[in-house]
Amino acid sequence: MILGDLGAEVIKVERPGSGDDTRAWGPPFVGFESAYFLSVNRNKKSIAVNMKHPEGKKVILQLATICDVLMENYIPGKLGEMGLGYEDVRNVAPHLVYCSITASPHRCSPRLRPGPACLLFPPGCTRTTSSSTSPNWISSFSPTLPHLLLTSQVQSLVLSRLDYCISLLAGLPASTTHPLQLLQNSVARLVFSLPRFAHATPLLCSLHWLPIPARIQFKTLTLTYRCLDHTAPSYLQSLVSPYIPSRPLRSSSGRRLTLPPLHSPSSRAHSFSSLAPKWWNDLPTKVKTAESLTSFRRLLKTHLFRLYL
């Protein structure tokens, strides 16, 4: 990424089909790509190559002859098994600088475990450093970044992880989500360079960040909208159904959902089929009748801000 920022032509090799796993590390998303992926892969070109196939191996070796540097972050020795280790590449491109980046030094016991770039082991290998979601890790470089760039990095590295599968926490007690709220409060203070006991609510308002309970509700209601719009997975669509009154009512145009019977298995307090209709029916009609998902998300976020902050 840094070499690309400085003007180098960087070609990223990804697996065919799904590509880099971080493409799906969201929300937040920009189009169909996660904000995290875009933030750490800017100024890069991408190609999809199956390096286990002889033709894919041939493509990599051909690229090596015209490139200056090769950087890889596979498990140590993995590329060698595919015939793309240092010795293999040096035979066709002796000029190439071959860099191997792993989650731990080769002399450490966990060296055969895969790991993303955001996980690093110190030289002594006695403990792992903080991950990219830790405020302590982010604070190590935050003084060098402008406010807007730091905010963007925190959203990509921290909030995207907080939002991942967060709807699964719907209906659980506050004690379960409280540690996540403490983490969000910590990074909000970090963005503004404030002490740890500074009041976090004004900071969340300034950053336009929904608190954790609101984020859970936001994700659940977004899935509900997609169910009604027939763009959600079929197993989710089957859990909610529109309310159809037995006679014409003014509420018929309010896009309400049917609540499950109180004693049915699906009426458990934390289930999607129970919470989604309840939260959905409590929304203002203007939000429920939004014409597009983008418009719905904007109106929903405004509504939840007024509700929680």
Side-chain angles (χ1 to χ4, degrees):
M1 179 185 70
I2 297 176
L3 292 175
D5 290 342
L6 296 175
E9 181 182 9
V10 181
I11 302 174
K12 181 181 177 68
V13 180
E14 303 183 46
R15 70 168 69 91
S18 59
D20 192 332
D21 291 339
T22 60
R23 288 181 180 272
W25 280 13
F29 288 98
V30 179
F32 295 101
E33 310 290 354
S34 70
Y36 174 82
F37 173 81
L38 295 175
S39 68
V40 299
N41 289 283
R42 60 180 183 268
N43 299 326
K44 297 180 184 179
K45 299 177 180 178
S46 290
I47 60 172
V49 179
N50 182 2
M51 292 187 290
K52 296 180 180 179
H53 193 278
E55 290 298 321
K57 174 184 173 181
K58 183 178 179 181
V59 169
I60 299 300
L61 292 177
Q62 288 176 344
L63 278 175
T65 61
I66 61 174
C67 292
D68 300 306
V69 179
L70 183 149
M71 299 181 67
E72 59 93 2
N73 64 339
Y74 280 81
I75 296 174
K78 189 66 175 179
L79 280 185
E81 296 175 4
M82 293 186 277
L84 293 171
Y86 172 69
E87 296 296 336
D88 304 297
V89 175
R90 188 178 65 170
N91 291 334
V92 297
H95 67 284
L96 193 74
V97 178
Y98 194 105
C99 302
S100 178
I101 303 174
T102 63
S104 61
H106 288 209
R107 66 177 179 275
C108 294
S109 58
R111 67 182 182 276
L112 297 182
R113 300 176 184 175
C118 60
L119 297 177
L120 299 173
F121 283 83
C125 297
T126 56
R127 60 180 179 86
T128 58
T129 61
S130 302
S131 69
S132 59
T133 57
S134 168
N136 294 332
W137 183 83
I138 298 174
S139 64
S140 64
F141 62 80
S142 60
T144 64
L145 297 180
H147 177 76
L148 289 178
L149 181 57
L150 177 60
T151 303
S152 175
Q153 290 296 317
V154 167
Q155 288 175 331
S156 298
L157 297 173
V158 181
L159 296 191
S160 63
R161 310 292 180 85
L162 290 179
D163 288 335
Y164 182 70
C165 292
I166 197 171
S167 60
L168 296 177
L169 303 178
L172 296 181
S175 58
T176 304
T177 59
H178 184 61
L180 298 180
Q181 187 61 63
L182 293 179
L183 174 60
Q184 187 186 37
N185 294 345
S186 295
V187 295
R189 297 185 188 101
L190 189 150
V191 168
F192 289 98
S193 301
L194 294 176
R196 59 181 299 185
F197 296 109
H199 190 37
T201 300
L203 307 182
L204 298 180
C205 292
S206 178
L207 293 167
H208 213 58
W209 290 356
L210 289 171
I212 296 300
R215 302 180 89 88
I216 295 173
Q217 195 167 350
F218 180 87
K219 187 65 174 290
T220 303
L221 290 171
T222 300
L223 289 173
T224 307
Y225 182 92
R226 292 182 58 197
C227 289
L228 297 176
D229 205 30
H230 303 292
T231 57
S234 57
Y235 68 88
L236 284 180
Q237 295 184 43
S238 64
L239 297 178
V240 295
S241 57
Y243 172 68
I244 303 176
S246 57
R247 57 190 176 86
L249 299 172
R250 286 185 299 175
S251 60
S252 301
S253 59
R255 210 181 187 188
R256 296 176 63 84
L257 295 178
T258 301
L259 294 172
L262 291 177
H263 300 291
S264 67
S266 61
S267 64
R268 290 178 296 179
H270 62 276
S271 65
F272 179 81
S273 58
S274 176
L275 282 176
K278 180 179 182 299
W279 286 347
W280 179 267
N281 292 342
D282 290 339
L283 290 177
T285 302
K286 180 182 179 181
V287 180
K288 291 186 289 186
T289 56
E291 296 181 354
S292 66
L293 179 61
T294 302
S295 177
F296 172 77
R297 289 165 61 91
R298 183 178 65 253
L299 293 172
L300 177 61
K301 187 172 183 179
T302 301
H303 170 71
L304 293 177
F305 256 105
R306 293 171 180 171
L307 193 63
Y308 283 90
L309 297 173

